[in-house]
Amino acid sequence: MVRGEAGSPWRLGIIGGGPAGSFFAHFASRWSSRLQIPVSLIIFDGKSFQKSGPQGCNLCAGVISRSLQLRLKEEGIFLPAKRIMSWVEGYRLHIQDESIRLESPPGRQGKVATVFRGNGPRYTRFPDIVSFDDFLLNWAQDMGARVIPFPVQSLRFPEKDGDPIIVLYGSSPTSLAEEEVDWLIGAFGVNTNLGQKLQHFGLGYVPPATRLTFQAELKFPGDIREEIIGHDIHIFFPRHRLIRYATLIPKGQFTTLTIIGWKDISPDILQQFYELPEIKKRFPPSKPTCFCYPRIVISSCRPPKNPRFLLVGDAAFCRYYKNGLESAFLSARLAAQAIFENYSRKNSNKIYYHRAEKFIIKDNFYGRILFRCNDLIASFPPLTKFNLSLIRKTCESFLSRQLKEILWDIFTGEKPYRQIFRACLQPRLLWEILKFSIIEICKKRKNEISHSGLAAPHESHKISQPEDSNKTEVSRQDLFLSSSKVMMNNNLNSTSGEISSAFDKAAALSPTSLYSVKSLEIKETTSLSNKTIVVIGGGPAGTSFAIKLRRLVRHQPQPPRIFLYEGKPLEKKSHYNQCLGVLSPPLPEIMEKELAFPSPGL
Ligand SMILES: Cc1cc2nc3c(=O)[nH]c(=O)nc-3n(C[C@H](O)[C@H](O)[C@H](O)COP(=O)(O)OP(=O)(O)OC[C@H]3O[C@@H](n4cnc5c(N)ncnc54)[C@H](O)[C@@H]3O)c2cc1C
């Protein structure tokens, strides 16, 4: 009698009742109804997700991407509101001294959610069970799975094809019970030693490579939580020899800190984190309510050769540094599909790993490239500044929107890495970056040339005395201007268009090249040739004076150099000189005649 076809159900054993195990039970149940194959689903897991602290937790940051939420909805799995700790509004990237906020690209619906995998941090009590894994395991039970609340200690694989696999389970290796199964699904993750044990079973299985990370539940004072963390996920990319990146994730009253290192995390990592300048200035050290050192998957496993033993979730492979829960969902779906579609053949395992390779594992190749690029940009300040200026200066342009979307997709994991990688290489984006770079370099060069003859910042700007002057000081005043920086340009010309372009150049100066006027010495001068004239204030009086003067002296053999200082970035809407803006006659006429300003009415 073939199992599953004539009444006696297929026995599917699942080691691990985490997300991968529960998702597999869900899909297996769906396939069994669709193909009318009776199944008996048995989940082995010694953990109770209704407990708080690491005992009931599968050690993860608990970010549920929108793409996973969508997949769950499509399967009819609706996560109840009380299991969600926070809804995320945006992502804030902190790279050295700079920060940038990313919001969801337009047209995408829903919000990223955060959950506790277990029933909250150690010693906390919630009025209801909040655990995400508990919800999924209940779901699996509702789909017909039976849970055996003990860990699996060992396995016995039959010598004869078709004989059952024996699962040995129990709380200690000395008192074991047995369960026979026809198929075995390994969904045991990477945070127990079962994977290492199985490596020596001669099955060919080698667990994926992992890295030790750090995770803590922090309780910051309410004002810090609300004002600094808010509803955003904060990602820090410090220049630190141990910390690759760290995230702060809002979860109701708590904030989850996750630290990912360049290597395995060391025990004093929390102290090192609090000592980072970008953290020190924002957060007071907070003692963790709960902490752990979970392992994160960084490569894929070598699959076992046994055709009736399939691995899903972290025990097999995972998306590179992102959305492990979604990978668990996808691998469980692929495994169930491979088993049920090919149950009469003996190659379901090969079909499964082949598909997983195509849809999940290969994508990590692009993920690694993207993360490496990000590391490079974050660790090299000029590159960081350049990249952030690309996003900031180009405002809501195509370039800015695309770059923000790419960053959003990398850090939320909403799109496959390959798709993000392709987006990075789209010709229009590359062209815009090249164009922006060339313009920036030209602007910088021009500014350097035009300022090369000037005094260094913070030195007094000396207006030289004419050789033929009688050196009498007419008046001497020290004018203390506001401490704010004053922009400068020396490139005035007589037409309005050129004046405004001169302002653009001034605005493009980098903060370090801005000059601040501290004091001023006014001396008598009799000739203007080759002199320096400084106009303070770029309002109508200052600019009219500068334009008129420039027009008057332009045919002189050695015309004076004219500098105009103006602190307000007047091209911005928020900066203007308060006035009703009425140009009553004969002002337009005078402006046209004296300053060669085209009349606004023309
Ligand atoms: C620091 C960190 C942060 C992360 N943050 C996120 C995130 O924000 N979002 C996200 O999507 N992913 C995240 N991940 C990845 C995510 O945690 C995993 O990809 C996901 O938990 C994999 O699910 P799983 O069911 O395969 O394994 P697990 O969640 O580890 O579940 C394995 C289950 O198997 C059980 N088990 C183990 N051994 C045995 C045994 N011998 N017998 C019986 N049962 C056993 C365990 O008790 C457990 O319940 C993070 C990972 C780390 C390390």
Side-chain angles (χ1 to χ4, degrees), residues 156-161 163 165 182-184 202-205 303-311 346-350 353:
R156 264 204 314 268
F157 286 89
E159 286 180 5
K160 235 174 80 198
D161 215 22
D163 280 357
I165 301 166
D182 303 305
W183 288 84
L184 190 59
L203 299 164
Y205 173 64
K305 291 189 189 89
N306 192 307
R308 288 189 287 143
F309 181 33
L310 271 64
L311 288 143
K346 287 184 185 165
N347 61 349
S348 339
N349 61 333
K350 284 192 182 142
Y353 291 116

Side-chain angles (χ1 to χ4, degrees), residues 1 102 114 121 156 168 189-190 194 201 233-234 241 253-254 259 278 375 415 425 435 498 525 542 547:
M1 182 179 74
L102 304 172
T114 64
R156 264 204 314 268
L168 298 124
V190 286
L194 187 61
F201 271 49
I233 289 183
H234 295 249
R241 69 196 161 84
Q253 302 283 302
F254 293 90
I259 303 179
E278 54 265 60
D375 291 341
K415 279 190 186 165
L425 295 183
K435 207 168 77 180
E498 283 162 325
T525 175
I547 297 166

Side-chain angles (χ1 to χ4, degrees), residues 193-362:
N193 65 357
L194 187 61
Q196 308 299 328
K197 264 195 205 170
L198 291 181
Q199 203 173 340
H200 307 293
F201 271 49
L203 299 164
Y205 173 64
V206 179
T210 57
R211 186 155 287 160
L212 213 57
T213 63
F214 176 77
Q215 198 160 270
E217 298 300 339
L218 307 173
K219 220 171 176 183
F220 286 119
D223 54 335
I224 298 220
R225 224 178 44 237
E226 271 151 39
E227 283 159 31
I228 303 185
I229 296 169
H231 295 281
D232 288 348
I233 289 183
H234 295 249
I235 312 184
F236 296 87
F237 299 94
R239 292 179 77 198
H240 193 274
R241 69 196 161 84
L242 298 176
I243 303 173
R244 188 176 188 185
Y245 68 90
T247 54
L248 284 173
I249 296 157
K251 278 191 198 162
Q253 302 283 302
F254 293 90
T255 304
T256 304
L257 164 68
T258 300
I259 303 179
I260 307 285
W262 297 103
K263 296 183 196 149
D264 277 357
I265 280 301
S266 58
D268 65 338
I269 200 72
L270 185 60
Q271 200 186 334
Q272 306 225 19
F273 173 75
Y274 280 131
E275 277 165 17
L276 292 171
E278 54 265 60
I279 298 301
K280 238 182 187 171
K281 73 177 179 201
R282 288 188 180 94
F283 306 102
S286 160
K287 212 170 160 232
T289 319
C290 191
F291 67 92
C292 58
Y293 293 89
R295 295 202 157 269
I296 198 159
V297 172
I298 54 168
S299 78
S300 48
C301 73
R302 169 133 56 86
K305 291 189 189 89
N306 192 307
R308 288 189 287 143
F309 181 33
L310 271 64
L311 288 143
V312 293
D314 273 10
F317 34 74
C318 179
R319 193 152 190 234
Y320 191 66
Y321 284 121
K322 278 286 144 219
N323 278 12
L325 296 168
E326 195 170 346
S327 305
F329 176 97
L330 293 174
S331 62
R333 189 171 71 181
L334 288 176
Q337 185 185 2
I339 291 173
F340 281 85
E341 278 182 352
N342 307 283
Y343 65 90
S344 53
R345 290 184 241 148
K346 287 184 185 165
N347 61 349
S348 339
N349 61 333
K350 284 192 182 142
I351 292 172
Y352 163 59
Y353 291 116
H354 178 71
R355 286 182 187 160
E357 173 96 27
K358 195 169 156 198
F359 295 116
I360 306 171
I361 302 169
K362 275 195 178 154

